[in-house]
């Protein structure tokens, strides 16, 4: 257990983080209040957040992870404006080479499932661009190690409050991507 009561962070932490294996295991509950991200070095502007989190997650890298992250009652204060997100839920399931990654929130629901490797998606895109327009895109030197075969579905209800906080010129409402 850990408790911090500082002018830039009030934190209650119950659980553990195991760094002793190749896959880092996170299993904890936390209450974060008034975390001022600028002096803590997590943001370049004056942003304060509060949230509750329940995390049971194993992480080696973006392609090797498994578990759940639940964030609730997220509030973000910036420049006298207060933004809120009731819930963010992330679930990652790895079953051999078939994977499912799910994001559910007040703002966005997304799911990608199948055989995919995030670390190689850029290379896969370069191969595809070379095949489509070879005169403009050089053939990559190496081969893709894993075939990408997945389905993705993204439903954006709104980007608010994140667009107001970080990218004011971008707005999606009621957008759906599927393929």
């Amino acid at each position: 257990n850990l408790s911090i009561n500082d002018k830039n962070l009030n934190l209650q932490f119950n659980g553990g983080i195991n760094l002793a294996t190749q896959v880092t295991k996170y299993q904890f509950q936390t209450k974060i209040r008034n975390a001022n991200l600028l002096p803590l070095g997590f943001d370049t502007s004056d942003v304060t957040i509060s949230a509750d989190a329940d995390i049971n997650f194993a992480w080696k890298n973006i392609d090797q992870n498994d578990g759940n992250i639940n964030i609730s009652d997220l509030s973000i204060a910036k420049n006298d404006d207060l933004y809120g997100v009731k819930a963010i839920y992330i679930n990652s399931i790895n079953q051999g080479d078939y994977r499912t990654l799910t994001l559910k929130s007040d703002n966005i629901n997304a799911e990608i499932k199948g055989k995919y490797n995030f670390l190689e998606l850029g290379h896969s895109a370069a191969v595809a661009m070379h095949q489509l327009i070879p005169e403009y895109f050089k053939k990559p030197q190496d081969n893709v190690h894993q075939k990408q075969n997945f389905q993705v579905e993204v439903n954006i209800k709104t980007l608010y409050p994140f667009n107001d906080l970080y990218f004011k010129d971008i707005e999606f409402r009621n957008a759906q991507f599927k393929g």
Side-chain angles (χ1 to χ4, degrees):
N1 295 341
L2 174 67
S3 180
I4 298 173
N5 190 6
D6 181 81
K7 67 179 181 176
N8 294 311
L9 175 64
N10 184 310
L11 176 108
Q12 301 297 317
F13 180 94
N14 183 14
I17 300 173
N18 183 349
L19 304 171
T21 62
Q22 285 187 334
V23 177
T24 303
K25 295 183 181 175
Y26 303 85
Q27 190 167 3
F28 62 87
Q29 297 81 38
T30 188
K31 291 182 182 296
I32 301 168
R33 300 292 178 266
N34 302 314
N36 190 340
L37 301 184
L38 180 62
L40 294 172
F42 290 109
D43 205 322
T44 57
S45 57
D46 190 20
V47 175
T48 301
I49 66 166
S50 295
D52 296 333
D54 186 357
I55 297 175
N56 186 358
F57 205 78
W59 173 273
K60 183 172 184 179
N61 61 43
I62 190 72
D63 288 316
Q64 296 174 324
N65 54 72
D66 195 51
N68 300 301
I69 298 173
N70 289 293
I71 300 170
S72 59
D73 300 321
L74 172 63
S75 66
I76 305 165
K78 181 178 181 181
N79 300 331
D80 297 325
D81 293 321
L82 184 62
Y83 306 94
V85 177
K86 290 181 186 175
I88 300 171
Y89 171 75
I90 299 170
N91 178 260
S92 177
I93 301 170
N94 288 296
Q95 297 172 322
D97 59 354
Y98 188 88
R99 302 170 45 210
T100 303
L101 180 62
T102 305
L103 165 68
K104 293 182 180 182
S105 75
D106 301 349
N107 315 72
I108 299 171
N109 290 336
E111 185 170 68
I112 181 170
K113 55 186 172 182
K115 296 178 182 180
Y116 59 91
N117 186 318
F118 283 120
L119 294 174
E120 294 182 2
L121 280 177
H123 186 273
S124 296
V127 169
M129 294 306 293
H130 171 73
Q131 291 173 342
L132 291 170
I133 314 170
E135 55 274 4
Y136 290 104
F137 295 94
K138 292 182 181 179
K139 183 177 181 179
Q141 297 296 325
D142 56 347
N143 294 322
V144 173
H145 302 288
Q146 176 181 336
K147 290 187 177 185
Q148 308 285 354
N149 183 11
F150 58 87
Q151 298 171 333
V152 64
E153 184 170 349
V154 179
N155 293 300
I156 301 172
K157 300 168 198 169
T158 179
L159 291 179
Y160 179 85
F162 304 106
N163 62 320
D164 275 6
L165 290 165
Y166 295 105
F167 36 87
K168 290 184 180 281
D169 296 333
I170 298 174
E171 177 58 51
F172 285 104
R173 289 190 186 275
N174 302 318
Q176 182 176 19
F177 306 96
K178 190 173 185 179

